[in-house]
């Protein structure tokens, strides 16, 4: 009997950790040669309401991955436009730490395993997933965290073509929706103009190719704000991106850089010739996506219909987390939903009642809010962050967060069998 996690991004790694702590045998199947997926190009933690969600997860017993991002932080407690008390982790250091931790816990990691089909029982349960090479992996319960970006056809039809991003579809094959292969109907999120999907909201620049003054500012402050000349301001891009928390006028009128080991540029794309016309960017090079001068990956093309315990509707033994579980934006949101999915997968295997978090917890409110509202949802800004403030959920008081979790009877819940 085992729990099989399909997809090794932040959500999948979190689900594997929690299920393993429940005493389950856990197999983690990842399509590429690295874990964390978009986490290798992100790096922002604890900004705005994500601080509350992070500390809530820690109080509930899901601390392991947050400890790694905190340990690998380049800067902490940073205020930048529209955001407070952010931490930035070094994207070059986190993935090996996560991989070693999972291995030490006994999670069986399978890299370059692209799940493309399922074997089902007459009762609609999934019995096994099948790789592109024909290998079958059997399990008792499955968790899909394959994300919602790709394949290349979506990036071409709804975006600007393959941007050669960290997901590397040409090398490792496109993402396949396990929920759809099992007979469910996925849905897509929409950008502001109603077009299906949305552009990933940032690019990585090689920090060493920036001007010396910009490098020094990033190293010292953790971020830099560079005003754009009038002719390079493009507010239309704000309506096309995933990250609504960064769809603010400051992010159209300026280049905003964040130090994540690389220089993370908070815009979906920027023509390289135009970028190099700006002081300090004369020699700049993109490191992710390589075609960041033209476009970026398209996400939110394959969300699964699910219940509040993150079980996929219509498939008795399939759970989901991260972007697969809804139009959630961010690493923190992925880790949090992954922890709940991993915990409930173990409870399902033990024939125990699934945990549905109450709406007076941040994660419970996030899951409920996403069900009732269209568009992307994140604790870092936009409508849900305002909802957090309206409901009195948002706080940076760790003691108060721990007390609220205790009052809900959820202290250390993800550690408990």
């Amino acid at each position: 009997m085992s729990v099989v996690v399909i997809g090794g991004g932040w959500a999948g790694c979190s689900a594997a950790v929690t299920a393993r702590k429940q005493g389950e045998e856990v197999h983690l199947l990842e399509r590429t040669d690295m874990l964390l997926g978009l986490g290798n190009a992100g790096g922002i933690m604890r900004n705005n309401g994500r601080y509350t969600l992070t500390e809530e997860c820690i109080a509930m017993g899901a601390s392991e991955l947050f400890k790694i991002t905190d340990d690998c932080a380049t800067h902490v407690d940073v205020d930048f436009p529209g955001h407070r008390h952010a931490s930035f982790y070094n994207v070059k250091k986190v993935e090996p730490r996560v991989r070693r931790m999972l291995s030490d816990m006994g999670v069986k990691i399978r890299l370059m395993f692209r799940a493309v089909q399922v074997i089902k029982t007459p009762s609609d349960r999934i019995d096994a997933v099948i790789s592109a090479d024909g290998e079958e992996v059997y399990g008792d319960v499955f968790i899909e965290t394959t994300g919602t970006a790709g394949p290349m056809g979506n990036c071409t039809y709804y975006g600007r073509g393959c941007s050669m991003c960290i997901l590397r579809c040409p090398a490792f094959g496109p993402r396949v929706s396990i929920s759809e292969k099992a007979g469910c109907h996925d849905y897509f999120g929409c950008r502001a103009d109603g077009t299906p999907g949305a552009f990933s909201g940032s690019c990585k620049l090689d920090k060493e190719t920036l001007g010396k003054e910009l490098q020094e500012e990033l190293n010292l402050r953790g971020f830099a704000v560079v005003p754009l000349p009038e002719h390079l301001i493009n507010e239309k891009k704000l309506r096309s991106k995933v990250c609504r928390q960064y769809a603010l006028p400051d992010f159209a009128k300026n280049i905003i850089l964040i130090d994540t080991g690389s220089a993370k540029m908070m815009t979906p794309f920027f023509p390289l010739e135009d970028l190099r016309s700006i002081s300090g960017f004369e020699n700049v090079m993109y490191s992710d996506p390589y075609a960041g001068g033209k476009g970026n990956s398209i996400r939110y093309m394959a969300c699964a219909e699910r219940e509040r315990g993150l079980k996929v509707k219509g498939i008795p033994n399939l759970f989901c987390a991260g972007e697969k579980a809804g139009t959630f934006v961010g690493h923190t949101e992925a880790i949090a939903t992954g922890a709940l999915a991993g915990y409930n997968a173990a409870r399902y295997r033990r024939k125990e009642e699934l945990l549905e978090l109450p709406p007076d917890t941040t994660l419970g409110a996030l899951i409920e809010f996403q069900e009732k509202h269209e568009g992307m949802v994140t604790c870092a800004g936009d409508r849900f962050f305002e909802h957090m403030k309206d409901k009195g959920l948002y706080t940076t008081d760790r003691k108060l967060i721990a007390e609220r979790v205790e009052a809900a009877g959820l202290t250390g819940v993800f550690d408990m069998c």
Side-chain angles (χ1 to χ4, degrees):
M1 295 295 188
S2 62
V3 174
V4 178
V5 183
I6 309 141
W10 275 123
C13 289
S14 180
V17 168
T18 310
R20 184 66 185 141
K21 289 197 297 182
Q22 296 297 301
E24 303 295 329
E25 178 183 313
V26 178
H27 297 261
L28 178 59
L29 312 179
E30 163 55 33
R31 178 179 59 87
T32 74
D33 60 352
M34 294 173 63
L35 299 178
L36 299 191
L38 294 169
N40 292 300
I44 301 179
M45 306 292 288
R46 292 184 176 270
N47 50 325
N48 293 347
R50 287 178 180 154
Y51 188 101
T52 310
L53 180 57
T54 295
E55 290 299 326
E56 182 180 282
C57 287
I58 290 171
M60 290 182 181
S63 63
E64 293 83 359
L65 296 177
F66 294 115
K67 183 179 187 308
I68 289 176
T69 57
D70 285 346
D71 287 348
C72 294
T74 60
H75 301 271
V76 299
D77 200 22
V78 178
D79 294 343
F80 67 101
H83 298 266
R84 297 182 57 203
H85 47 72
S87 295
F88 310 139
Y89 68 75
N90 190 320
V91 296
K92 303 173 185 178
K93 294 182 178 180
V94 168
E95 194 271 349
R97 285 276 304 269
V98 171
R99 194 188 301 194
R100 284 194 293 271
M101 184 196 73
L102 290 170
S103 295
D104 290 346
M105 291 182 69
V107 173
K108 301 178 190 302
I109 302 171
R110 291 288 308 278
L111 300 173
M112 293 190 284
F113 186 107
R114 186 167 72 95
V116 298
Q117 192 53 271
V118 301
I119 299 173
K120 291 176 65 178
T121 68
S123 60
D124 270 342
R125 290 168 50 89
I126 297 176
D127 200 22
V129 292
I130 308 173
S131 76
D133 299 323
E135 183 178 354
E136 299 173 359
V137 173
Y138 288 79
D140 195 49
V141 59
F142 296 79
I143 307 172
E144 185 181 5
T145 62
T146 57
T148 60
M152 292 181 291
N154 284 338
C155 292
T156 298
Y157 192 81
Y158 297 107
R160 293 182 155 203
C162 177
S163 62
M164 295 180 279
C165 73
I166 192 67
L167 299 179
R168 298 168 290 166
C169 297
F172 297 103
R175 168 196 56 79
V176 173
S177 171
I178 296 304
S179 56
E180 285 208 326
K181 292 296 183 182
C184 298
H185 174 70
D186 288 349
Y187 66 94
F188 52 78
C190 292
R191 62 196 84 169
D193 65 1
T195 303
F199 281 107
S200 291
S202 63
C203 303
K204 275 168 50 181
L205 304 177
D206 186 337
K207 190 164 69 169
E208 287 70 29
T209 65
L210 295 171
K212 184 177 179 181
E213 289 184 2
L214 273 178
Q215 290 187 49
E216 290 175 348
E217 186 173 5
L218 285 173
N219 291 335
L220 178 64
R221 301 176 64 200
F223 73 100
V225 179
V226 181
L228 284 170
E230 190 70 29
H231 70 283
L232 293 181
I233 295 175
N234 180 2
E235 295 190 359
K236 291 182 180 179
K237 281 196 291 187
L238 297 178
R239 299 194 294 270
S240 69
K241 62 191 298 185
V242 162
C243 310
R244 305 308 305 160
Q245 69 271 29
Y246 308 121
L248 306 171
D250 281 340
F251 289 83
K253 296 176 181 178
N254 306 281
I255 293 176
I256 297 180
L257 301 175
I258 292 170
D259 180 18
T260 61
S262 300
K264 181 171 181 175
M265 183 170 66
M266 306 303 295
T267 187
F269 53 87
F270 202 110
L272 184 59
E273 184 176 1
D274 292 339
L275 189 58
R276 285 182 172 177
S277 72
I278 301 167
S279 177
F281 294 84
E282 293 88 348
N283 303 306
V284 75
M285 298 282 288
Y286 281 97
S287 58
D288 183 80
Y290 278 117
K294 177 186 176 183
N296 213 315
S297 59
I298 296 293
R299 292 158 59 190
Y300 298 98
M301 297 302 299
C303 301
E305 295 183 342
R306 46 89 185 154
E307 301 169 0
R308 291 193 180 175
L310 302 186
K311 190 181 79 66
V312 174
K313 292 181 178 179
I315 307 297
N317 64 335
L318 179 62
F319 291 78
C320 60
E323 292 179 8
K324 189 69 192 182
T327 50
F328 302 116
V329 180
H331 305 328
T332 308
E333 291 82 350
I335 294 170
T337 54
L340 180 60
Y343 179 74
N344 272 340
R347 291 183 68 86
Y348 171 85
R349 202 194 67 74
R350 296 196 299 263
K351 296 181 173 55
E352 297 174 359
E353 183 179 357
L354 301 184
L355 174 65
E356 294 186 5
L357 294 171
D360 56 354
T361 63
T362 304
L363 181 53
L366 179 72
I367 291 171
E368 180 182 76
F369 190 92
Q370 191 276 328
E371 291 176 346
K372 297 179 178 180
H373 297 80
E374 294 182 352
M376 315 309 167
V377 179
T378 173
C379 297
D382 203 34
R383 300 165 303 160
F384 182 70
F385 184 42
E386 293 304 314
H387 178 77
M388 287 182 67
K389 291 186 282 189
D390 290 343
K391 297 298 183 182
L393 290 170
Y394 170 57
T395 179
T396 58
D397 186 331
R398 293 180 177 178
K399 182 179 179 182
L400 176 59
I401 295 168
E403 288 173 351
R404 291 196 314 211
V405 170
E406 184 176 12
L410 296 169
T411 300
V413 65
F414 293 137
D415 280 329
M416 299 176 185
C417 291

